Amino acid sequence: MELFSQKVKPSDLEKGDHVYTWRKNIYSHHGIYIGEGKIIHFVNPRNDGILRFSASSGISSSGTYCPTSNCGLEKVAGSGVRMSCIDCFIKKGKLYRFKYEASPQFLIAKLRGGTCTTARSDPPEEVIHRATYLHENGYPKYDLMSNNCEDFALYCKTGLWSNDIGYQGRSSQANMVHPTKKEDRIENHIQRFATAIPRACSKRENKDLGIREDVVKVPVDELSSFLLALKLT
Ligand SMILES: [Zn+2]
């Protein structure tokens, strides 16, 4: 049924697609397909859990042989922005295409966050430019609630960033949960993603990137100075 089918075969991907895969069936991991079997994605550099490619053994952390040269490459060490092959990105999971310009009805019908937005995507060349620029130049620090892998992909697709310093997170997964104390363990957050679904649907709709009024278009080469002006770096 089209309404719920966002699954996509690697051969059907188009450059600039925002893709995601489910991890442990609890949360989704996101990235931007840039063509030639490569995905640029953002992970927590301290706890990425995605892959550790060993050039000497050719073994990725998923335990599979990866024949792709430089898979998992981080051009800015410690930035968390990596370029990986599709297999290492999905880690034996399935691949899905994030939906843009979703109707409000579609948004509500999707029980889980992290799958769609009413916002409009920019043309693929702009999307790829942002993703590759951030891969080559770095990206703001990872934060599960306010700057995660979905935030990265949403920014690459739309160029939108919040100018509200108290409300930075744009990802629909994070917006499904209530703000929590910084010191809460990541596991607690993840558990809440799974349990907060029913009460959070209307909350998520209100916070959707395409509906929010606190987001502005920020050119990728001005992102650092924009965040500096907001005193967020
Ligand atoms: Zn790989």
Side-chain angles (χ1 to χ4, degrees):
M1 189 175 171
E2 205 281 327
L3 179 64
F4 289 106
S5 177
Q6 289 175 250
K7 200 187 293 181
V8 61
K9 287 187 224 155
S11 56
D12 291 338
L13 285 178
E14 293 177 19
K15 287 181 180 179
D17 274 350
H18 173 169
V19 292
Y20 62 94
T21 186
W22 289 99
R23 295 266 193 260
K24 300 174 185 172
N25 205 26
I26 294 178
Y27 66 96
S28 49
H29 181 58
H30 297 246
I32 299 293
Y33 182 65
I34 60 164
E36 297 175 7
K38 300 274 178 63
I39 292 174
I40 293 181
H41 56 127
F42 179 49
V43 302
N44 183 348
R46 290 182 306 156
N47 181 30
D48 62 44
I50 304 301
L51 61 89
R52 294 205 184 279
F53 180 76
S54 161
S56 56
S57 69
I59 303 296
S60 79
S61 65
S62 61
T64 54
Y65 174 73
C66 180
T68 310
S69 63
N70 291 327
C71 191
L73 178 69
E74 219 177 26
K75 281 206 174 169
V76 178
S79 70
V81 181
R82 295 167 183 261
M83 187 188 293
S84 300
C85 74
I86 294 171
D87 285 346
C88 288
F89 176 81
I90 61 177
K91 290 176 78 174
K92 298 180 182 170
K94 295 186 174 69
L95 193 63
Y96 300 84
R97 184 188 279 131
F98 196 95
K99 185 174 175 61
Y100 284 77
E101 295 185 70
S103 67
Q105 292 81 0
F106 186 98
L107 189 75
I108 291 167
K110 286 300 215 180
L111 291 177
R112 306 176 84 168
T115 60
C116 61
T117 176
T118 61
R120 179 190 296 266
S121 168
D122 285 328
E125 57 273 20
E126 274 185 61
V127 175
I128 291 170
H129 171 66
R130 289 190 190 109
T132 52
Y133 183 95
L134 295 170
H135 182 232
E136 286 166 8
N137 295 280
Y139 182 69
K141 192 163 164 268
Y142 185 94
D143 185 288
L144 182 68
M145 298 305 289
S146 65
N147 192 31
N148 60 36
C149 58
E150 187 185 348
D151 288 304
F152 173 85
L154 285 167
Y155 174 70
C156 290
K157 287 290 276 185
T158 65
L160 294 173
W161 200 286
S162 172
N163 61 13
D164 180 347
I165 57 170
Y167 178 21
Q168 281 288 296
R170 288 137 288 139
S171 92
S172 53
Q173 288 192 100
N175 281 335
M176 287 183 73
V177 298
H178 291 293
T180 49
K181 289 179 188 171
K182 276 271 183 197
E183 60 267 27
D184 275 6
R185 290 174 57 81
I186 286 175
E187 288 80 1
N188 290 342
H189 291 308
I190 290 171
Q191 199 58 41
R192 286 173 201 192
F193 286 154
T195 59
I197 292 167
R199 66 179 161 76
C201 283
S202 60
K203 184 182 173 74
R204 173 160 58 94
E205 187 201 3
N206 293 337
K207 291 184 172 182
D208 181 71
L209 188 63
I211 293 166
R212 287 173 60 163
E213 293 179 350
D214 62 318
V215 289
V216 290
K217 216 65 155 174
V218 183
V220 69
D221 57 352
E222 294 174 17
L223 185 57
S224 296
S225 50
F226 173 81
L227 294 173
L228 207 57
L230 284 178
K231 297 187 168 46
L232 286 171
T233 55

